[in-house]
Amino acid sequence: LRVGYLSGVYNHMYYKNRTPASVRDKTYQKHFEEGDVMALLNKAGATGDEDEKQQNSDKKKGIDVLLTCDWPEGYYKLYTPEQLPPTKTKPPPKAGSPVVAEIAMALAPRYHFAATEQCFHKLRP
């Protein structure tokens, strides 16, 4: 069973700009950065050039379970308004992270658990 986890939420101000180590070591960072995402994708074998992918073609790619704080951006487009899960934090068009959506597409997990919308919803197959 291969599990991937990304802690924190997407914040465009911090995503590309690395938090200084002096701050990072002293306080909990509630956001993730580009380096965190690249580490997850690299561990799962979802990045690299074509030669590297060919050399590692016998290794399993992707993950079975993805755990994130943010929901993927655009999840609401899969449903009619009546089928949408009840969200308590943001209306659907503003909910979700573009980075988590890219991760989910790159890793193609069998299951994806996300927490920040404060509700439970099982996506249809």
Side-chain angles (χ1 to χ4, degrees), residues 48-67:
D49 61 22
E50 290 305 314
D51 291 333
E52 185 179 326
K53 286 180 182 178
Q54 185 65 29
Q55 290 172 355
N56 297 325
S57 62
D58 58 333
K59 292 182 182 176
K60 185 175 179 183
K61 304 282 191 292
I63 56 176
D64 298 308
V65 178
L66 176 62
L67 305 169

Side-chain angles (χ1 to χ4, degrees), residues 33-107:
E33 299 169 351
E34 186 176 31
D36 302 322
V37 172
M38 294 310 296
L40 174 62
L41 294 175
N42 287 334
K43 284 282 190 185
T47 60
D49 61 22
E50 290 305 314
D51 291 333
E52 185 179 326
K53 286 180 182 178
Q54 185 65 29
Q55 290 172 355
N56 297 325
S57 62
D58 58 333
K59 292 182 182 176
K60 185 175 179 183
K61 304 282 191 292
I63 56 176
D64 298 308
V65 178
L66 176 62
L67 305 169
T68 62
C69 292
D70 284 335
W71 287 35
E73 180 181 65
Y75 74 89
Y76 62 90
K77 294 177 184 178
L78 301 171
Y79 299 97
T80 64
E82 298 81 33
Q83 295 172 317
L84 285 171
T87 60
K88 297 180 181 178
T89 56
K90 303 175 196 168
K94 296 182 185 222
S97 160
V99 175
V100 172
E102 290 175 22
I103 292 169
M105 295 214 16
L107 298 180

Side-chain angles (χ1 to χ4, degrees), residues 19-29:
T19 305
S22 59
V23 173
R24 197 173 176 84
D25 293 341
K26 292 179 183 176
T27 62
Y28 169 72
Q29 301 300 308

